[in-house]
Amino acid sequence: MRFADRSDAGRRLARRLGPFRSEDVVVAGLPRGGVPVAFAVAQALHAPLDVIVVRKLGLPRQPEFALGAIGEDDVRVLDEDLVDRTGVTAAQLAAVDDRERVELNRRVTRYRTGRNRISLRGRSVIVVDDGIATGATARAACRVARAQGASRVVLAVPVCAPSAITSLAADVDEVVCLQAPRGFRSVGQWYRDFRPTSDDQVADLLQRAAAEVPAPADGDITLPLSRASLPGILTVPADATGIVVFAHGSGSSRRSPRNRHVAAVLNRAGLATLLFDLLTGPEADDRARIFDIPLLAGRLVEVTHWLGTRPDTAELPVGYFGASTGAAAALLAAADPSVDVRAIVSRGGRPDLAGPALPRVQSPTLLIVGGADADVLDLSRRARTAMRGETRLAVVPGAGHLFEEPGALDEVTALTRRWFVTHLAAAARRTATGPRTRTPRTGGVP
């Protein structure tokens, strides 16, 4: 299989990477030739695009023959055995290193002027090149991604030398390669158009990718409910495929940093979010109101009805994300026949407080609980038994009730993103292929 050009290779590669759409992922291209491939992948996955700048350390008299590579954050990869076999001296290697580091710094300045580096911390990173021969630059790029805090590193290329897959296994979590032909001699032989990519082309693709990630309409709103006006934060990305309504726990609010972190990740995945205060100021000071689950659920139902009146959210499939007592309210609200809730996520929730309504919840529900939160874990296991709809329990090892341990909230976020993207996007596709039947909005919380 030969590729027409790098864009064609990227589109074909993206088809193999489709499952990553349900993850919080960043696509990182290797300049220069890897960036057109990465651009096509990022477009298909609706993911942000960045670069990881690396430079090959070539043999002094044969620069295309790689002895190793250097990358951002002072990463250096060197094949010591090869250096010994070729007889390259320390002085010669230092000269090559110095020359390539000057070029590396020039490219970093060229590509990053006017734009910040995208954070990789706690995210899956797909490192993309147009092909791999020795693997030295790819290895350096993957180590840069690790150094920047990536939780998972995937190396994706259209073509590579068969030996490269084995040699790179220790540096990545997964290698995705469309073909590793036995007759591999060079990357270019597998492209009909393999003209060099320029710095200007790289900068242009990065600028286009940044422009194509739609800035969500994010704003403070007031929700006009029947017995209260409640403040909220509504964020609607362009071409949203669903909306997630957040129900916070006791003692929290729409400003919860944990919920806002989760909401930001959902927004990047193309989902709208609404965070709102379930109680007014005076109500929040009344402990009895904090645990009044029917009251909280009733407000969730009202808010869901209100979303159905807005042009920008009326046709979006709805999901609920509930924490602590908010999870009980979400489950009780989802059992109301007047709302159509397509998915629920409970983070450290109290599903037991939804009581007799649990068997009536038909929405696919994910119960996320910390492994060290023994009481809530027991309550969630019992609730799962009582629920008749699709229900899954995900335990975050070693995490407590607030998921404050290193990496715990990132795992919660990844699980939440995958659940909502899977269920709300599927609901959106069904809506797009035919009229959606809505249950008349009558009745109250059961």
Side-chain angles (χ1 to χ4, degrees):
M1 176 173 61
R2 294 183 71 202
F3 306 104
D5 53 22
R6 291 180 176 90
S7 295
D8 173 50
R11 288 189 291 270
R12 296 195 200 189
L13 185 59
R15 288 196 283 270
R16 283 280 295 274
L17 296 168
F20 287 95
R21 280 198 69 176
S22 64
E23 297 190 19
D24 183 17
V25 66
V26 175
V27 178
L30 272 59
R32 299 179 177 109
V35 176
V37 184
F39 178 80
V41 171
Q43 280 192 313
L45 300 184
H46 301 294
L49 173 68
D50 206 344
V51 292
I52 294 178
V53 185
V54 293
R55 290 293 295 169
K56 184 189 301 180
L57 297 177
L59 196 63
R61 293 186 179 180
Q62 193 179 347
E64 287 303 310
F65 190 84
L67 298 171
I70 56 173
E72 299 178 75
D73 298 335
D74 295 322
V75 168
R76 189 188 197 208
V77 174
L78 198 62
D79 188 332
E80 300 285 359
D81 291 338
L82 191 56
V83 171
D84 290 341
R85 291 201 306 271
T86 55
V88 175
T89 66
Q92 289 175 315
L93 188 59
V96 173
D97 191 303
D98 290 344
R99 183 177 65 250
E100 296 301 337
R101 200 164 294 280
V102 169
E103 176 61 14
L104 183 144
N105 291 334
R106 184 196 70 79
R107 292 193 182 191
V108 168
T109 300
R110 175 71 177 87
Y111 303 148
R112 299 206 188 281
T113 297
R115 54 185 301 274
N116 295 324
R117 185 162 70 180
I118 296 174
S119 174
L120 306 184
R121 185 160 303 280
R123 306 171 79 175
S124 296
V125 178
I126 302 177
V127 177
V128 178
D129 204 355
D130 54 9
I132 297 174
T134 65
T137 53
R139 179 175 288 107
C142 292
R143 291 185 183 179
V144 170
R146 290 280 192 213
Q148 292 180 14
S151 60
R152 185 182 183 195
V153 177
V154 177
L155 178 62
V157 292
V159 61
C160 65
S163 59
I165 295 179
T166 303
S167 67
L168 289 165
D171 293 280
V172 299
D173 297 294
E174 184 179 350
V175 177
V176 176
C177 178
L178 297 185
Q179 55 182 350
R182 293 182 180 179
F184 183 95
R185 295 189 304 275
S186 68
V187 173
Q189 77 181 104
W190 301 99
Y191 288 82
R192 289 194 291 274
D193 181 352
F194 198 63
R195 285 175 290 182
T197 304
S198 68
D199 282 340
D200 286 344
Q201 287 174 306
V202 171
D204 177 64
L205 289 172
L206 290 172
Q207 185 175 3
R208 285 174 56 192
E212 289 177 10
V213 175
D218 189 349
D220 292 327
I221 59 170
T222 299
L223 300 164
L225 306 188
S226 59
R227 297 185 180 181
S229 292
L230 301 174
I233 304 170
L234 177 64
T235 306
V236 184
D239 299 321
T241 56
I243 183 165
V244 177
V245 182
F246 283 69
H248 61 75
S250 56
S252 188
S253 74
R254 70 191 187 285
R255 303 290 183 189
S256 162
R258 294 181 186 85
N259 285 353
R260 296 201 70 174
H261 170 77
V262 174
V265 171
L266 295 180
N267 295 152
R268 289 196 292 270
L271 295 173
T273 53
L274 173 61
L275 298 93
F276 76 101
D277 290 353
L278 289 163
L279 299 171
T280 64
E283 288 173 341
D285 293 330
D286 183 348
R287 188 163 178 80
R289 292 296 184 98
I290 291 174
F291 289 92
D292 188 343
I293 304 303
L295 169 67
L296 305 181
R299 289 183 174 174
L300 264 178
V301 169
E302 275 200 80
V303 166
T304 306
H305 291 172
W306 175 81
L307 288 171
T309 68
R310 290 178 56 95
D312 56 348
T313 57
E315 295 303 318
L316 297 180
V318 176
Y320 287 162
F321 178 94
S324 189
T325 51
L331 290 165
L332 185 56
D336 189 302
S338 72
V339 295
D340 181 14
V341 180
R342 300 302 184 95
I344 302 170
V345 173
S346 163
R347 172 180 65 81
R350 289 289 307 275
D352 57 299
L353 296 178
L358 289 177
R360 295 195 292 273
V361 177
Q362 298 300 313
S363 312
T365 301
L366 175 65
L367 306 172
I368 306 176
V369 185
D373 193 4
D375 290 341
V376 172
L377 182 56
D378 180 60
L379 292 171
S380 297
R381 284 172 173 155
R382 295 183 186 182
R384 182 180 59 172
T385 302
M387 297 173 70
R388 295 174 184 170
E390 178 189 353
T391 308
R392 296 184 187 177
L393 176 65
V395 180
V396 179
H401 185 63
L402 297 179
F403 299 92
E404 295 176 309
E405 297 76 12
L409 186 58
D410 289 331
E411 186 165 350
V412 169
T413 303
L415 290 166
T416 299
R417 183 185 192 276
R418 190 175 299 117
W419 191 259
F420 282 131
V421 167
T422 299
H423 290 88
L424 297 187
R429 286 194 295 271
R430 289 194 294 271
T431 300
T433 56
R436 182 163 135 198
T437 303
R438 291 179 175 270
T439 304
R441 289 175 176 164
T442 58
V445 178

